[in-house]
Amino acid sequence: MTQPLADTLRGRLIVSCQAPPGDPMRHTGTLVRMTLAARAGGAAAVRVNEPEVVAATAAAVDLPVIGLWKDGDQGVFITPAVRHALALVEAGAAVVAADATARPRPDGSTFAELVSAVHAAGALVMADVSTLEEGRTAAAQGADFVGTTLSGYVPGSPRQTAPDLALVAGLAAAIDVPVIAEGRIATPGQAAEALAAGAHSVVVGTAITAPTALTASFVAGLSG
């Protein structure tokens, strides 16, 4: 299953269709329309949060769904436990995205256990990492894709305003599984740079699907 999906995603865009708590866009129907708009624009897949949205998206959009479940906002909160991962598979996720950093998981489980459970349920796993070593470890533990999602958001990874292209390049050279560039990709040019650095595909979220954040950035620019 990994290879056909990897072929589908090669050199293409994945759109992250999410909204933070309290945002007016955080509504299942609205988020599904985001995924439909992403498909109409040429996206190869979508990344969405929570089982309800995964199920609604899988029913409405003929694209692979990368599902995650953010539970909390501290430590490991992106699909932190096996139960979260299996709920996403049941909802229709083709790929489950999960935190694969070196930090302890809240239920004491391991990333390897999550990978094993998701594979047994018939889906794939995208490891969200922050460092090269975490990416190496995730690949060795069976992750089907490794994403740079958490670089800059976890202690020990570089804080920067641009995509971590050095991590993209390092992972692409070090592991055999497809590397997905994600995090702070704000322009088509940066997305192309990520592919040139060795990314298999690119995830873009805020720059496409976050009108509240984008509006605030313009307001800040005008008032500055």
Side-chain angles (χ1 to χ4, degrees):
M1 183 177 177
T2 303
Q3 192 57 48
L5 182 55
D7 290 342
T8 296
L9 299 180
R10 186 184 303 276
R12 298 187 65 194
L13 176 69
I14 301 163
V15 178
S16 181
C17 300
Q18 302 180 51
D23 191 287
M25 302 296 285
R26 195 178 175 99
H27 173 269
T28 298
T30 301
L31 293 169
V32 170
R33 287 186 176 275
M34 275 190 194
T35 66
L36 289 167
R39 179 190 182 282
V46 291
R47 178 170 160 126
V48 299
N49 176 40
E50 297 185 343
E52 178 183 336
V53 183
V54 169
T57 300
V61 185
D62 58 345
L63 289 177
V65 176
I66 301 172
L68 62 145
W69 188 349
K70 292 179 178 176
D71 189 356
D73 58 7
Q74 299 293 324
V76 174
F77 65 87
I78 297 177
T79 319
V82 171
R83 69 175 181 85
H84 295 90
L86 293 180
L88 293 165
V89 178
E90 184 176 357
V95 181
V96 171
D99 185 312
T101 63
R103 300 174 295 178
R105 309 184 82 80
D107 66 344
S109 65
T110 66
F111 179 73
E113 290 170 342
L114 183 147
V115 171
S116 179
V118 170
H119 284 172
L124 305 177
V125 176
M126 175 178 170
D128 290 348
V129 305
S130 67
T131 67
L132 178 60
E133 187 56 37
E134 289 170 352
R136 288 179 187 271
T137 300
Q141 291 176 334
D144 303 284
F145 303 92
V146 173
T148 60
T149 316
L150 292 172
S151 174
Y153 302 103
V154 175
S157 60
R159 302 281 176 168
Q160 53 190 314
T161 58
D164 191 347
L165 298 182
L167 179 57
V168 171
L171 287 169
I175 62 177
D176 293 329
V177 304
V179 175
I180 299 180
E182 181 173 10
R184 300 178 302 279
I185 298 173
T187 68
Q190 288 179 333
E193 288 173 358
L195 290 181
H200 185 84
S201 52
V202 176
V203 175
V204 177
T206 299
I208 296 175
T209 60
T212 303
L214 292 169
T215 300
S217 70
F218 276 93
V219 170
L222 291 175
S223 61

